[in-house]
Amino acid sequence: MKKGIFYLILFAAMLPGCKEDVPTVFAEPDGIYFSAPADSITYTFAKYPNRVSDTLKIPVTVLGKATDKDRTITLEKLSGTDINSTEGVHYKLLQPYTIPAGKVTTMLPVVIYRTGDMDSLTINFKFQLKANENFVSGISAKTSLKIKVGYLQKPPTWGDLSGLPWAGYQPNFGTWTKTKYKVILDALYDPVSDTTVSEFPGTRFAGQFPAVYNQYLQLVKNYIRTRYPGNYSIPRGIGATLRDPDNRDSVIIVGPANY
């Protein structure tokens, strides 16, 4: 009996030591990472032809629990050979950024601007989430994010005269040029949504494209025929005529394309 009492006293004496070790397990700050689906975000002003600026919402997530106070996020811009942007010209950070109290996710607003160089260049910038008193790096592969912003660049879904994807096929829009693309954006503009159709994706190898694309083609053809009847007159050039300085000053014809 005395031996049992001894062991109980010894066990009770050890408990305070065990409790002192518990807080150290959770002493390190929570992690944080970009929760975008990929390591880059692409935005084109071509879809929004009347906008000269916009605000991107970049998602971030905490690896840990919510707290009862706002927590500051440290965001740093990165440099590199592929980075050709200037802060204050191409984009603006709206710092300070925080994870609100009671939340483990938030959106970081970044203002982007449409600039003249986007007529020919895609502008790239990149951000890094940095460790601070609130957070350590979360998922290492997702602590940096690249943003690509353009305007009048050839869409990756355009294709060529051989037939795939849809837009570049000769019976449709044909060869891409900046002038022709701008006409298509104007023709397909929807004033209700303030957007236009800037890409024409489809299943490349199966040759499957949405039926609405044929309607787009007719809308563009009607747009050109109405405003520039000389483009479809016989002979060409009777009435207002739209020519393409990007392609030997050719008249622009679609459905089928003349180049």
Side-chain angles (χ1 to χ4, degrees), residues 89-213:
V89 175
H90 299 108
Y91 69 92
K92 179 182 179 181
L93 298 177
L94 301 179
Q95 301 201 70
Y97 293 121
T98 61
I99 294 285
K103 302 290 185 180
V104 292
T105 62
T106 194
M107 294 288 188
L108 309 184
V110 176
V111 179
I112 55 175
Y113 302 102
R114 193 179 86 189
T115 54
D117 48 7
M118 289 180 188
D119 285 2
S120 55
L121 294 174
T122 297
I123 301 300
N124 303 314
F125 40 99
K126 195 171 186 178
F127 302 129
Q128 176 88 38
L129 290 167
K130 302 295 289 185
N132 61 16
E133 68 277 8
N134 298 309
F135 302 108
V136 296
S137 294
I139 301 173
S140 58
K142 297 180 76 65
T143 56
S144 64
L145 184 73
K146 186 176 183 180
I147 299 175
K148 309 172 186 178
V149 181
Y151 177 35
L152 293 179
Q153 289 77 46
K154 180 179 179 179
T157 59
W158 187 271
D160 53 39
L161 296 176
S162 65
L164 293 174
W166 180 88
Y169 190 29
Q170 193 275 336
N172 300 325
F173 294 140
T175 302
W176 182 92
T177 69
K178 186 188 301 182
T179 299
K180 184 189 290 185
Y181 187 47
K182 184 65 168 60
V183 171
I184 292 168
L185 296 176
D186 292 341
L188 298 180
Y189 174 70
D190 177 9
V192 176
S193 64
D194 193 29
T195 62
T196 190
V197 181
S198 57
E199 293 205 24
F200 306 89
T203 306
R204 179 180 178 88
F205 297 104
Q208 297 175 355
F209 303 100
V212 72
Y213 284 6

Side-chain angles (χ1 to χ4, degrees), residues 33-42 58-59 141-148:
Y33 65 96
F34 289 114
S35 45
D39 60 0
S40 64
I41 293 175
T42 300
I58 302 174
K142 297 180 76 65
T143 56
S144 64
L145 184 73
K146 186 176 183 180
I147 299 175
K148 309 172 186 178

Side-chain angles (χ1 to χ4, degrees), residues 11-101:
F11 178 71
M14 293 173 62
L15 284 177
C18 295
K19 289 181 179 178
E20 288 175 3
D21 291 337
V22 172
T24 62
V25 177
F26 303 97
E28 188 173 90
D30 294 330
I32 192 169
Y33 65 96
F34 289 114
S35 45
D39 60 0
S40 64
I41 293 175
T42 300
Y43 177 101
T44 175
F45 277 103
K47 187 176 180 180
Y48 313 98
N50 289 329
R51 297 184 187 180
V52 294
S53 66
D54 207 345
T55 301
L56 299 180
K57 301 294 182 66
I58 302 174
V60 296
T61 298
V62 173
L63 280 174
K65 296 181 180 180
T67 64
D68 59 359
K69 63 177 182 178
D70 293 349
R71 289 177 286 177
T72 302
I73 298 169
T74 301
L75 189 67
E76 181 181 85
K77 61 182 181 181
L78 298 179
S79 59
T81 57
D82 59 336
I83 304 303
N84 58 351
S85 59
T86 301
E87 186 176 2
V89 175
H90 299 108
Y91 69 92
K92 179 182 179 181
L93 298 177
L94 301 179
Q95 301 201 70
Y97 293 121
T98 61
I99 294 285

